[in-house]
Amino acid sequence: MTAEMMESGSRRLTFIDPEADPPTPAQIGAYAFLAVVSVMCFWISLAVGNAKKHYKYMVSVRVFFPLVCLVAAMEQGTLVSSGRYYQTNVDDDKWLKFLYVMRSTVAPSLLILMFELTYMVHKGRSVNFCGIFFDEGRRINEIITTPMISFCLRNLIRCVAVVLLAIGIVVNLDLLQDVSHDSLAGRTGWIGLVQDDRAWEEKTHIYLSLLPMAVLCGCSFYLSLILWRYGTQSSMVVHSSILNPWFYPFFGTLALSAGQLFRERWFLLFSNIGLIIYLVTTLLLMSELDKDMVATSDFSMFLADVSRKGDQISSQKQREDESFRSDDRSGMEDLSDLESAVGYLSERALQPPLTTIATINLDSADEMDA
């Protein structure tokens, strides 16, 4: 790239360049289709986040994810109508500035969302996750490393998300002071960056524009593999093979990563296609996660009912045993009384009658008188 091109894009916002070729009718049609899909994702994510009780306290699901879908829809709509920006001064367009700021929230929001979904599903099923141990849906705080790792890991993800948000804002609004501003920042991918003949110091703007999505892709690869392993080995809904619905996040991550590779001509289109595929696969993951959470909840309620019924049976048996022992004691007392009565009667039977004793005594007296 020549110095004149760099100078012409010295303070230009990313994403749309009036000096580039306008989108073709085919590209406009593709952007329109992606806009429709983005709107559908927005409504579905909004409905799911507010309908499921296990998402009640998850801001990333109830707020961040619908916001990302809405930003994607606004981005596609802007690209559909981008022809008018090629006759105006984009530097002064307030809508584009607002869109660039909102676009910076996509990568950090999806990073927090994917982490919290992975954390929640492992916690609900009491499956160990990144050195964090769970039991009965709760952290085992008796293991000293568990609360420490949980605190550090969750706050690390949040700190990384804040850093990515700051990078996105300064790159999209060209707020970098000590970096050469590049008109291709935000409009070319990693292939264009690598094939650029300039020194890396002169391509810092392009590199920083690609960094947030690169971090998201790297973390998503790891988290999606963990989710895939969970769905294959530990899910409540048993699947017959490793090719199960828990594979969707990994496929979405592949699409998102592939979309970040293209050169200037195709980067906007394929990066947005990759993002929309990632959003759709995240919705599919949430659907499968809902099934697993419902199955886990039903199984937990079944175990609670079994435990409650067992306690009732145990209590009833204990009462019956106590009643039986009480009856035994009463029977033994009655038997003892009966044995006493029989013994008394036996003794009486062995004794001679009083009349016989009296007669014997009289006969003895007569003999003595004689």
Side-chain angles (χ1 to χ4, degrees), residues 222-243:
Y222 176 72
L223 296 175
S224 61
L225 287 174
I226 291 180
L227 286 170
W228 194 2
R229 184 192 64 182
Y230 169 86
T232 303
Q233 299 178 354
S234 306
S235 174
M236 286 294 296
V237 181
V238 179
H239 300 282
S240 59
S241 69
I242 62 173
L243 297 178

Side-chain angles (χ1 to χ4, degrees), residues 23-64:
T24 63
Q27 290 176 329
I28 293 176
Y31 291 139
F33 174 76
L34 295 177
V36 173
V37 177
S38 301
V39 172
M40 293 175 61
C41 291
F42 168 72
W43 287 113
I44 295 174
S45 63
L46 198 63
V48 172
N50 289 277
K52 304 298 182 180
K53 63 180 181 180
H54 44 267
Y55 297 139
K56 182 177 181 180
Y57 300 105
M58 294 184 63
V59 179
S60 59
V61 176
R62 298 178 65 247
V63 179
F64 290 170

Side-chain angles (χ1 to χ4, degrees), residues 180-197:
S180 300
H181 301 280
D182 200 316
S183 63
L184 290 179
R187 297 191 302 109
T188 190
W190 289 98
I191 294 178
L193 176 66
V194 173
Q195 292 181 351
D196 196 331
D197 296 332

Side-chain angles (χ1 to χ4, degrees), residues 236-257:
M236 286 294 296
V237 181
V238 179
H239 300 282
S240 59
S241 69
I242 62 173
L243 297 178
N244 53 68
W246 295 90
F247 167 76
Y248 293 145
F250 184 77
F251 175 75
T253 304
L254 287 176
L256 182 66
S257 303

Side-chain angles (χ1 to χ4, degrees), residues 108-314:
S109 298
L110 291 177
L111 175 62
I112 295 177
L113 172 69
M114 186 59 64
F115 173 79
E116 292 196 351
L117 287 177
T118 308
Y119 183 91
M120 183 188 71
V121 71
H122 283 78
K123 179 181 178 182
R125 191 70 178 86
S126 297
V127 178
N128 300 338
F129 169 63
C130 292
I132 304 173
F133 298 91
F134 301 102
D135 185 31
E136 296 183 355
R138 292 183 293 271
R139 292 195 307 266
I140 304 177
N141 293 324
E142 287 75 11
I143 301 177
I144 190 171
T145 58
T146 294
M148 296 172 56
I149 294 176
S150 176
F151 176 82
C152 294
L153 187 59
R154 300 180 75 173
N155 286 280
L156 175 63
I157 293 295
R158 292 165 183 166
C159 291
V160 171
V162 171
V163 172
L164 296 182
L165 176 64
I167 292 175
I169 291 176
V170 298
V171 168
N172 283 327
L173 294 181
D174 283 354
L175 300 179
L176 299 170
Q177 299 297 326
D178 299 328
V179 175
S180 300
H181 301 280
D182 200 316
S183 63
L184 290 179
R187 297 191 302 109
T188 190
W190 289 98
I191 294 178
L193 176 66
V194 173
Q195 292 181 351
D196 196 331
D197 296 332
R198 293 177 296 160
W200 281 96
E201 293 77 8
E202 300 178 3
K203 299 183 290 186
T204 304
H205 198 189
I206 301 177
Y207 172 74
L208 291 177
S209 68
L210 296 171
L211 183 61
M213 281 298 179
V215 174
L216 172 63
C217 291
C219 294
S220 292
F221 268 119
Y222 176 72
L223 296 175
S224 61
L225 287 174
I226 291 180
L227 286 170
W228 194 2
R229 184 192 64 182
Y230 169 86
T232 303
Q233 299 178 354
S234 306
S235 174
M236 286 294 296
V237 181
V238 179
H239 300 282
S240 59
S241 69
I242 62 173
L243 297 178
N244 53 68
W246 295 90
F247 167 76
Y248 293 145
F250 184 77
F251 175 75
T253 304
L254 287 176
L256 182 66
S257 303
Q260 298 294 308
L261 299 177
F262 291 86
R263 293 177 60 87
E264 178 184 2
R265 181 179 180 184
W266 299 106
F267 176 76
L268 283 179
L269 177 60
F270 283 99
S271 63
N272 282 283
I273 291 176
L275 176 61
I276 301 304
I277 292 176
Y278 188 87
L279 297 180
V280 172
T281 55
T282 303
L283 285 174
L284 294 174
L285 167 66
M286 292 172 62
S287 175
E288 197 65 24
L289 190 148
D290 293 341
K291 297 177 186 177
D292 197 75
M293 294 296 291
V294 170
T296 302
S297 178
D298 291 343
F299 186 68
S300 299
M301 293 176 62
F302 169 75
L303 293 179
D305 291 340
V306 170
S307 177
R308 192 181 304 110
K309 190 64 176 178
D311 293 339
Q312 292 176 358
I313 295 174
S314 178

